[in-house]
Amino acid sequence: MPYIIETCVAGKTFEVCKYYSYRFHVKGEKRSGKEIPTSEAQKRVNQRKAAKDLRRLMNANFEDGDLLVRLDFFRENAPPGSRQMQAMIKKAIRKMRTEFRKIGKDLRYIYVKEIGRRGGRHIHMMMSKCDTDLLMRCWPYGGIHVDPLISNGQYRKIAEYFIKYAVKTEETEGELIGKRWYASRNLIRPVVRKKILKENKFRKRVREKKGYYLEKESLKEGISERTGFEYFSYTLIKGKQHVRGE
């Protein structure tokens, strides 16, 4: 009976996931004893889904050399909550857009807000490359920490951290904070395609692609918490694999 193969092209990454859907009866494939998920289990499922969507968006729009930025707050400027943080970052982004136009560039960004249990407040942003001086002119509320992206186009770990920051803020404030991340409107949406294959069983085999290498951490198989059926997934990355010490 049918299974689904989902592929996603996002920047240098090519993701593949094979899975069965509860919409189809799968001959010879027994569904595991799937229980109604608890609220905590459902939260984890939702967070993984959010991290996957964010990872694909980041991969499709940024490249090594672009920036990972943390915007801090001086004690006297620390906002009381995430709503006030939102007003401050929106004002800063308007200034950034103006500065980028002056140098003939478009500003691309994704950011999340973080409020820790001990009161620490930060804005974490992935954005187009620029001079640190430009950021300092646009962010008068505190310090700035800047790192260039160096992951060969795969920003999975950063996406996971961004979602953790958003969840931490919700837990600290005891309520939903609206969007978990905010993105500029000029971002490219990754291409996701799904194809139904009428076969009884899918092969757990990585299909090589010329000019790409397998991201070993991405190779996963197991039982879906959502459907109770088996899945198999992996990611290929375009280019040469970086080895420490090269």
Side-chain angles (χ1 to χ4, degrees):
M1 295 298 288
Y3 68 86
I4 297 171
I5 179 167
E6 177 181 304
T7 60
C8 177
V9 178
K12 289 186 175 182
T13 63
F14 180 73
E15 299 183 11
V16 179
C17 185
K18 300 178 182 180
Y19 59 92
Y20 298 105
S21 171
Y22 58 83
R23 296 179 182 179
F24 304 110
H25 170 70
V26 184
K27 183 178 179 180
E29 178 66 21
K30 293 184 179 180
R31 190 177 187 180
S32 67
K34 182 174 178 291
E35 300 177 355
I36 298 175
T38 64
S39 58
E40 288 301 315
Q42 188 60 52
K43 283 181 182 179
R44 290 195 296 271
V45 171
N46 293 342
Q47 289 170 22
R48 284 197 294 271
K49 173 64 164 57
K52 180 180 75 172
D53 293 341
L54 183 54
R55 174 189 75 228
R56 290 174 171 180
L57 188 63
M58 287 178 169
N59 291 350
N61 287 277
F62 297 93
E63 61 184 11
D64 287 3
D66 285 328
L67 304 180
L68 181 62
V69 178
R70 190 189 72 208
L71 304 173
D72 301 330
F73 295 88
F74 296 130
R75 183 172 297 180
E76 62 270 22
N77 291 327
S82 62
R83 293 181 182 179
Q84 291 77 13
M85 291 174 72
Q86 183 68 11
M88 297 167 83
I89 184 61
K90 286 178 70 175
K91 185 176 180 180
I93 285 176
R94 285 196 295 270
K95 292 181 179 180
M96 289 181 193
R97 284 201 184 100
T98 299
E99 293 290 335
F100 267 75
R101 289 193 192 104
K102 290 179 181 179
I103 58 177
K105 294 183 179 181
D106 290 328
L107 171 64
R108 293 170 291 110
Y109 65 83
I110 298 172
Y111 71 83
V112 294
K113 298 169 287 186
E114 178 193 8
I115 299 181
R117 295 178 182 177
R118 297 183 180 181
R121 284 156 167 73
H122 310 280
I123 300 291
H124 301 272
M125 178 182 289
M126 184 178 284
M127 62 177 291
S128 310
K129 66 181 72 174
C130 67
D131 292 333
T132 305
D133 288 345
L134 184 154
L135 293 175
M136 293 175 66
R137 290 195 297 272
C138 299
W139 186 255
Y141 308 113
I144 299 171
H145 184 88
V146 180
D147 285 310
L149 299 177
I150 52 171
S151 300
N152 199 29
Q154 171 58 293
Y155 307 115
R156 172 178 51 82
K157 292 182 179 179
I158 297 175
E160 291 171 355
Y161 276 118
F162 271 35
I163 296 302
K164 287 180 180 179
Y165 296 142
V167 171
K168 183 193 297 184
T169 302
E170 291 177 346
E171 291 174 346
T172 299
E173 296 195 317
E175 62 181 3
L176 298 177
I177 59 173
K179 294 180 180 179
R180 282 187 167 165
W181 73 81
Y182 295 80
S184 56
R185 295 181 180 179
N186 58 349
L187 297 187
I188 298 169
R189 299 296 163 178
V191 179
V192 180
R193 292 188 173 90
K194 295 182 181 181
K195 183 178 181 180
I196 300 173
L197 298 179
K198 296 182 179 181
E199 298 179 17
N200 290 335
K201 194 82 173 176
F202 59 69
R203 294 183 180 181
K204 298 178 184 178
R205 180 173 63 87
V206 174
R207 187 172 182 179
E208 295 182 356
K209 189 175 176 70
K210 187 175 180 180
Y212 287 74
Y213 66 89
L214 172 67
E215 181 193 23
K216 293 181 180 179
E217 293 178 72
S218 71
L219 188 58
K220 295 180 180 179
E221 60 179 285
I223 303 298
S224 169
E225 290 180 274
R226 188 172 63 86
T227 67
F229 286 129
E230 197 174 18
Y231 72 90
F232 176 72
S233 63
Y234 61 90
T235 299
L236 302 176
I237 301 178
K238 189 174 184 179
K240 180 181 176 183
Q241 185 172 11
H242 296 306
V243 179
R244 290 183 180 180
E246 282 191 344

